[in-house]
Amino acid sequence: MSMRPLLLLILGITTATGVTAQGSWRRDNKESIPSEHHGNHEWTTWFNVDHPGGRGDYEQLEAIRFYYRSRVCQTPLAIEARTTEWVPARETGETVHADPTVGFWCLNEEQGPERNCSNYAVRFLCPKDDSVNIQGTWGRWSDWSACPSLCGQVGLQQRSRNCESSSVPCSGPKLEAKPCDGPECPETDCTLQCGMGKVNAECDACMCEEHILLGSVRGAGGLTAEGATLLRNGKLLSLSDHNGHFRIPGICPDGNTTITVTLQGHAPFSVVVPYSSERTSVLTIQLKRTEKLHVLSNPENKARRQGQTAAFCCKVAGTPQPDKYQWFHNESLLEKHSESTLVLRNLRLEQTGEYYCRASGSSGAIKTKPATLKVLGWDEHSCNPLPESHLIRLPHDCYQNNTDSLYYNVGKCPSSTCSGQLDNGIRCKDKVTYCCGVKKLALRQLTCQGYLLPTKVVTECGCQKCVDTKAIVHGRAIAADNGEPMRFGHVFMNGVRISRTGYKGTFSIQVPLDTERLVLTFVDNMQKFINTTKVLPFNTKGGAVYHEIKLLRKKAPVTIDSTEINTLELGEAEGREAMVQIQIPPYSFYTERGEVFTGKVNASVTFLDPRDVSTAAAAQSDLNFVGDEGDTLPLRTYGMFSVDFRGEENNEPLNAGEVKVFLDSAEVKMSEHLNTMKLWSLNPETGLWEEEGSLQVEKKRRGKREERTFLIGNMEIRERRLFNLDVPEIRRCYVKVRAFRSERFMPSEQVEGVVVSLINMEPTAGFSTNPRAWGRFDSVITGSNGACLPAFCDEQKADAYSAYVMANLGGEELEAVSSSPKFNPNLIGVPKPYLDKMNYRRTDHEDPRMKKTAFSINVAKPGSNVAEESNGPVYSFEKLKECEEASFSAAHFRFTRVEGDRYDYNTVPFNEDDPMSWTEDYLSWWPKPMEYRACYIKVKINSPHEINVRSRNTGGTHPKTVGQLYGLRDTRSIRDMDQEKMSAVCLEFKCSGMLYDQERVDRTLIKVIPQGSCKRDNVNTILQEYLVNHLPLAVNNDTNEFTMLGPLDPLGHNYGIYTVTDQDPRTAKEIALGRCFDGTSDGTSRVMKSNEGVAMTFICGDREVSSPSVFQALQNPQGQTMTSVVRGEGRQNRRRQRANAPRSSSRRSTRNPTGRRAKTTS
């Protein structure tokens, strides 16, 4: 066997070729060597002469020979490499290079982002000592080279020789070296040499006695930086004076001297004194404020099998960067792991659990969210093959006698993480993510009234690649006072503009991958509204979430003189005193260049007053800060204010230093808050509040008024212009809330993607308080198991903290469960006596004219020894996971979505709230995830009654689906507001187009079937002409219905067809419905316009309907009699117009959860 095949057999690589070490390498290289080599060759010991710092790890043969020349043969036959942790190179997943004649090397730059080479050791395969070894002859050694070292240093002298044999290699080193001493230095202990000036007495720097360094230091926002320290080699040189100026004699301008500037609240800054031949140099130094540590990416959940490797990574940013990392497993510190990446090798079952990282440094500390590691045994199922129960509602004419219900169990697979086919590569994020999903579907035929209904049932779950999804955030940015849209404003993320608002204030943003916390800042070009920073929750599983951004209108500016003391009062209104005062000393204004401004100033200070509950929705960010230990903690606000100072003449933005803030202590109802009140400013990039200073209690006489007690603090107004008066609050809980599609409150009818908001009201028990004052505003998104809302709570006094809770889906406000006239704990979802303790009240409890879209509760913390309070709906703060994973039977509060008379049935079940539930099947209603196309046809009904209309959608032209059912859609027509005997319906149908395999289109065969005695009267001529010109043409012999092959083109209102494509199915349907209601291709309406954009017309009989249809009966909760259906029909009719209409943001504002109309004055 030749040498080259031998190398390939052992290493699996060619000479000097880079590879990603993978499974092609064998487990035992020694056993891979052919037997004829065992007798004449043997492996050397392991060598490790380099480490992976710098560019990488270089285990080169020449370097190894230099240190161990007698232990390596001249011509090794093979090379083997492993890490210092005994992991073979082929199992690390790293790109490496090897050649037995050169050595082994690994380059850091080839390993991908955030990853370096491992530390490797190598060994070589050499002939045994007793084998024949013919060696060449060396020539004479050359003379030793001159010693290259400077005085007082040690260098190396070298000599070399050449091999005089041309055919036989020589054995031994070609180059030798020996240490040598440099020349003697002058009689001094100092070894420092200066290119300019002379060495100072401490022998740590060069001094130029005739040179003077002058300069100024400016803090963030251009403010003067008094007391900044200037250091060289850690030793103090000078302090800046009250103007930020400094003077340092003796500094050499040699281009090598580095000065470090530090100032409290600012990041250290190092500057090199530039080279100069002048006797005076000038530096201008601009500091940036310290950037608190914040998490850029959290460790990810992983599933691994026993013996595999898992890596967790945390990416943290800040200025300065963190210098220490700690990892925790189930809250226990892992002592031996102190890097930003945690690698767990040869996993054991007991290593299952939660892992999180804590990073710390001079700019603070921060903890990541925990990631879950699931370690499976080798024979253990990564996914439970048995599907979970999942009930779907069948059509109204498909009652199942064997189950005595209209529900059928089709099963589902949980979208949890599973192990999949992963290698042992060490990486933070798996290249492919695996989820539990549908492995096998079975077709069932259900017997209905006069037909068979096919349905696909999940029979087996398995581990497979997760469905790719996209998370979308969309909504409107409008004024908090009157709903005026912010037109053509900018939307920023991480300081970069990523979107703009439209004419109606609308915006839509695709959430970037790996986003942990979506922080957006809305900036108004017209200067009507203050800059608003919001932390928007989104659905991490994908799909769209709607948010309404409430903006505070910028207060009209007042003109002040910068050379005088100025006092601005905030929160002053009719009938109440100002809550906060800002006092600005003379000559305190500065331009952004750091120059003192003298002249007239236009000062606009906008105050968000928490004494008025209507301002809660306009609160910025999510009122959180990071504590000293790195935990994210909540704040309770006593007011926010935004400041905008500008020069009167040129509108130049100005900053202000040493501003005093006075908070009236009479407004602080809880005495314990007086000593913990602080000033905070908002970081617009992280959405977190950062401490600016504390407030001290002092008594002051304000003008001619009586002496009053104030909390007084100092602050600087610089580049961040939103400030907060807050206290940290430790009494915290979580409240469990779920949203449903109907009042049946079934687990399978939960709605995901609902924005649930909670307003914490000011505590009442034992305090004289304003009942409309609020302290905190939070929002979360419902998932498959509801949502857990953070709230303040108290165990000793149940009514100490109260809260309003409301829910919103796409601008539509969901309805809370009624509390009067009948109080039903079973419907509310919380048993007595805990419910009585919380005093549940829907907002119409005392006045039925009020809206039904919010409820209030006392947030009573569950008693530690009270059994009936241990199962929700309120959980203590440390039991978040228990709240998130609570079973459906556990207590929770409920909202319902008023859906109206609509029914959807899909042969292949799909939850539009959860894009990851999509299944790869030819009969899937939505054939392509992340691209959802919604299609509607507008049908006019001439009848004195509202008619239920069905679309039956089957395969039309694709050989895999022809004649097979995609799904059914039932929708009840909506009566025209102006014409008594006319109604119309926007009916969804299955869009034609490519199926999931993207190989061939299918023109869906669509039947439009009105219920009852109806006759087709008219078909849109343009639509009919299109169908005739795009064969094949469906047969329409039955005048009681209409059949067509769905158009491939999007068409438009002229045809009566409305098509919209979006990355979220609900959004696509809502936009298409709005256009259909309006009868236009680009408009939207909440009122059905029966004569606009119609595709066809039916005339239906005027026979009086004496009893409600089965379809109507389905809209009522289970357990109610038909009599109650008849009594409730009027209520259903009133709801239908708004329920079937597209959702709109023109609903009750969350600023006023009671729904009362604001009084207006003329």
Side-chain angles (χ1 to χ4, degrees), residues 339-398:
E339 302 294 332
S340 60
T341 300
L342 171 67
V343 180
L344 302 174
R345 305 178 191 275
N346 194 23
L347 287 170
R348 305 180 303 277
L349 295 177
E350 59 268 24
Q351 289 178 289
T352 293
E354 289 188 337
Y355 293 81
Y356 70 86
C357 163
R358 180 181 182 272
S360 57
S362 59
S363 55
I366 189 72
K367 290 179 181 177
T368 64
K369 293 180 181 178
T372 300
L373 173 64
K374 183 179 181 182
V375 182
L376 303 163
W378 281 108
D379 298 327
E380 185 178 354
H381 281 295
S382 178
C383 265
N384 187 349
L386 297 177
E388 299 176 353
S389 174
H390 181 65
L391 299 177
I392 63 167
R393 186 157 60 94
L394 300 177
H396 64 86
D397 53 359
C398 202

Side-chain angles (χ1 to χ4, degrees), residues 829-849:
V830 181
K832 289 187 174 185
Y834 199 10
L835 186 60
D836 293 332
K837 189 176 179 180
M838 288 187 283
N839 194 34
Y840 176 90
R841 293 287 184 271
R842 195 168 72 174
T843 43
D844 67 338
H845 183 81
E846 296 178 352
D847 185 352
R849 295 173 298 176

Side-chain angles (χ1 to χ4, degrees), residues 733-875:
C733 287
Y734 287 98
V735 179
K736 184 75 172 190
V737 179
R738 299 178 189 268
F740 297 86
R741 295 195 193 305
S742 71
E743 293 173 343
R744 288 176 289 270
F745 303 122
M746 297 185 63
S748 59
E749 293 187 344
Q750 293 188 80
V751 183
E752 299 183 42
V754 176
V755 181
V756 187
S757 301
L758 183 146
I759 303 176
N760 288 270
M761 305 304 289
E762 188 169 297
T764 59
F767 305 102
S768 57
T769 184
N770 174 1
R772 288 176 56 81
W774 62 277
R776 184 176 170 83
F777 182 91
D778 282 285
S779 296
V780 294
I781 301 295
T782 58
S784 58
N785 200 34
C788 294
L789 279 156
F792 297 145
C793 60
D794 193 275
E795 184 175 5
Q796 302 301 319
K797 300 176 182 178
D799 60 345
Y801 287 97
S802 63
Y804 277 104
V805 184
M806 58 212 74
N808 184 293
L809 179 65
E812 171 193 352
E813 292 169 319
L814 275 63
E815 194 168 289
V817 179
S818 173
S819 59
S820 69
K822 185 177 180 180
F823 190 79
N824 190 336
N826 291 330
L827 290 179
I828 295 171
V830 181
K832 289 187 174 185
Y834 199 10
L835 186 60
D836 293 332
K837 189 176 179 180
M838 288 187 283
N839 194 34
Y840 176 90
R841 293 287 184 271
R842 195 168 72 174
T843 43
D844 67 338
H845 183 81
E846 296 178 352
D847 185 352
R849 295 173 298 176
M850 306 284 277
K851 283 198 170 186
K852 304 173 175 60
T853 51
F855 65 84
S856 65
I857 56 170
N858 294 330
V859 191
K861 185 176 181 180
S864 54
N865 297 317
V866 183
E868 57 266 25
E869 298 179 6
S870 63
N871 198 28
V874 180
Y875 296 81

Side-chain angles (χ1 to χ4, degrees), residues 617-832:
Q620 298 208 29
S621 83
D622 53 1
L623 281 174
N624 286 327
F625 75 104
V626 177
D628 294 336
E629 295 300 315
D631 298 292
T632 302
L633 304 171
L635 292 168
R636 187 258 192 246
T637 186
Y638 279 91
M640 302 179 188
F641 56 96
S642 173
V643 179
D644 187 16
F645 296 140
R646 295 179 179 269
E648 184 183 40
E649 292 186 1
N650 56 10
N651 205 36
E652 180 182 14
L654 302 174
N655 295 313
E658 289 303 320
V659 174
K660 282 189 177 295
V661 178
F662 298 83
L663 171 62
D664 190 348
S665 63
E667 300 294 342
V668 183
K669 306 299 181 182
M670 303 180 70
S671 58
E672 58 265 38
H673 286 175
L674 291 172
N675 297 322
T676 56
M677 188 75 64
K678 296 179 184 294
L679 272 167
W680 308 78
S681 67
L682 179 63
N683 185 328
E685 294 188 7
T686 66
L688 294 169
W689 294 90
E690 299 177 0
E691 185 179 337
E692 291 285 339
S694 300
L695 282 80
Q696 306 298 324
V697 179
E698 293 185 29
K699 290 187 176 181
K700 293 284 184 181
R701 183 175 298 278
R702 309 299 296 161
K704 296 181 180 180
R705 290 184 289 182
E706 75 282 1
E707 186 177 67
R708 296 163 62 189
T709 302
F710 288 89
L711 289 168
I712 302 177
N714 296 318
M715 62 180 292
E716 293 178 342
I717 297 174
R718 39 184 182 249
E719 77 275 35
R720 293 181 195 162
R721 304 192 176 201
L722 185 69
F723 301 92
N724 204 351
L725 296 157
D726 278 15
V727 293
E729 181 59 84
I730 61 174
R731 288 170 285 195
R732 298 170 287 158
C733 287
Y734 287 98
V735 179
K736 184 75 172 190
V737 179
R738 299 178 189 268
F740 297 86
R741 295 195 193 305
S742 71
E743 293 173 343
R744 288 176 289 270
F745 303 122
M746 297 185 63
S748 59
E749 293 187 344
Q750 293 188 80
V751 183
E752 299 183 42
V754 176
V755 181
V756 187
S757 301
L758 183 146
I759 303 176
N760 288 270
M761 305 304 289
E762 188 169 297
T764 59
F767 305 102
S768 57
T769 184
N770 174 1
R772 288 176 56 81
W774 62 277
R776 184 176 170 83
F777 182 91
D778 282 285
S779 296
V780 294
I781 301 295
T782 58
S784 58
N785 200 34
C788 294
L789 279 156
F792 297 145
C793 60
D794 193 275
E795 184 175 5
Q796 302 301 319
K797 300 176 182 178
D799 60 345
Y801 287 97
S802 63
Y804 277 104
V805 184
M806 58 212 74
N808 184 293
L809 179 65
E812 171 193 352
E813 292 169 319
L814 275 63
E815 194 168 289
V817 179
S818 173
S819 59
S820 69
K822 185 177 180 180
F823 190 79
N824 190 336
N826 291 330
L827 290 179
I828 295 171
V830 181
K832 289 187 174 185

Side-chain angles (χ1 to χ4, degrees), residues 87-397:
V87 178
R90 61 182 168 274
E91 296 181 11
T92 63
E94 297 174 1
T95 301
V96 299
H97 308 263
D99 187 332
T101 64
V102 178
F104 176 96
W105 63 102
C106 175
L107 304 179
N108 289 334
E109 64 184 15
E110 295 180 351
Q111 308 312 315
E114 307 296 328
R115 183 170 177 179
N116 286 338
C117 295
S118 301
N119 190 8
Y120 288 93
V122 299
R123 64 176 181 174
F124 299 87
L125 186 68
C126 288
K128 290 186 177 180
D129 292 337
D130 56 359
S131 61
V132 179
N133 187 12
I134 303 175
Q135 300 183 5
T137 304
W138 287 104
R140 294 174 60 86
W141 286 103
S142 67
D143 294 331
W144 291 102
S145 64
C147 186
S149 61
L150 300 175
C151 73
Q153 297 179 349
V154 177
L156 286 176
Q157 289 178 283
Q158 296 180 345
R159 66 174 184 174
S160 61
R161 59 179 178 174
N162 295 318
C163 183
E164 296 181 347
S165 301
S166 59
S167 60
V168 181
C170 296
S171 177
K174 180 180 179 180
L175 188 70
E176 279 189 348
K178 68 177 182 179
C180 63
D181 296 326
E184 293 185 4
C185 294
E187 295 183 2
T188 176
D189 295 332
C190 182
T191 60
L192 179 64
Q193 295 184 348
C194 296
M196 181 184 292
K198 62 181 182 179
V199 179
N200 64 1
E202 291 82 11
C203 190
D204 61 1
C206 298
M207 299 293 293
C208 296
E209 296 180 354
E210 296 183 353
H211 183 265
I212 296 176
L213 178 64
L214 302 176
S216 64
V217 183
R218 295 288 175 184
L223 301 181
T224 57
E226 181 181 1
T229 60
L230 292 97
L231 308 170
R232 180 181 59 189
N233 299 330
K235 293 183 178 180
L236 179 64
L237 295 177
S238 180
L239 293 173
S240 60
D241 61 19
H242 65 285
N243 290 318
H245 297 157
F246 63 86
R247 180 180 185 274
I248 308 175
I251 295 293
C252 287
D254 54 6
N256 294 318
T257 302
T258 301
I259 293 177
T260 302
V261 184
T262 62
L263 180 66
Q264 184 178 4
H266 293 71
F269 182 81
S270 295
V271 60
V272 175
V273 180
Y275 178 85
S276 175
S277 59
E278 303 293 331
R279 300 184 63 176
T280 302
S281 298
V282 178
L283 287 179
T284 300
I285 300 170
Q286 175 70 57
L287 300 179
K288 294 182 179 180
R289 63 180 300 150
T290 300
E291 183 184 359
K292 295 288 187 180
L293 295 183
H294 56 279
V295 177
L296 296 180
S297 61
N298 290 296
E300 294 191 345
N301 295 339
K302 294 183 185 292
R304 294 290 188 272
R305 296 208 174 269
Q306 191 175 0
Q308 288 187 320
T309 299
F312 293 108
C313 304
C314 69
K315 188 175 182 181
V316 175
T319 307
Q321 289 282 336
D323 52 24
K324 183 180 181 181
Y325 291 90
Q326 295 172 300
W327 284 94
F328 296 82
H329 174 219
N330 293 337
E331 299 295 339
S332 297
L333 177 64
L334 301 176
E335 296 284 355
K336 297 181 180 180
H337 301 276
S338 59
E339 302 294 332
S340 60
T341 300
L342 171 67
V343 180
L344 302 174
R345 305 178 191 275
N346 194 23
L347 287 170
R348 305 180 303 277
L349 295 177
E350 59 268 24
Q351 289 178 289
T352 293
E354 289 188 337
Y355 293 81
Y356 70 86
C357 163
R358 180 181 182 272
S360 57
S362 59
S363 55
I366 189 72
K367 290 179 181 177
T368 64
K369 293 180 181 178
T372 300
L373 173 64
K374 183 179 181 182
V375 182
L376 303 163
W378 281 108
D379 298 327
E380 185 178 354
H381 281 295
S382 178
C383 265
N384 187 349
L386 297 177
E388 299 176 353
S389 174
H390 181 65
L391 299 177
I392 63 167
R393 186 157 60 94
L394 300 177
H396 64 86
D397 53 359

Side-chain angles (χ1 to χ4, degrees), residues 497-516:
R497 192 183 76 180
I498 60 170
S499 183
R500 295 189 70 175
T501 61
Y503 180 78
K504 295 183 179 180
T506 56
F507 66 92
S508 181
I509 293 166
Q510 181 177 320
V511 181
L513 293 175
D514 301 325
T515 298
E516 303 290 347

Side-chain angles (χ1 to χ4, degrees), residues 506-552:
T506 56
F507 66 92
S508 181
I509 293 166
Q510 181 177 320
V511 181
L513 293 175
D514 301 325
T515 298
E516 303 290 347
R517 181 177 165 88
L518 182 63
V519 182
L520 301 179
T521 299
F522 295 81
V523 179
D524 180 24
N525 284 335
M526 308 300 292
Q527 297 293 315
K528 292 182 179 180
F529 309 107
I530 67 171
N531 294 354
T532 300
T533 298
K534 289 283 189 177
V535 180
L536 300 182
F538 61 94
N539 194 342
T540 55
K541 294 194 297 185
V545 175
Y546 181 92
H547 289 281
E548 211 160 65
I549 310 301
K550 300 297 180 67
L551 308 172
L552 282 181

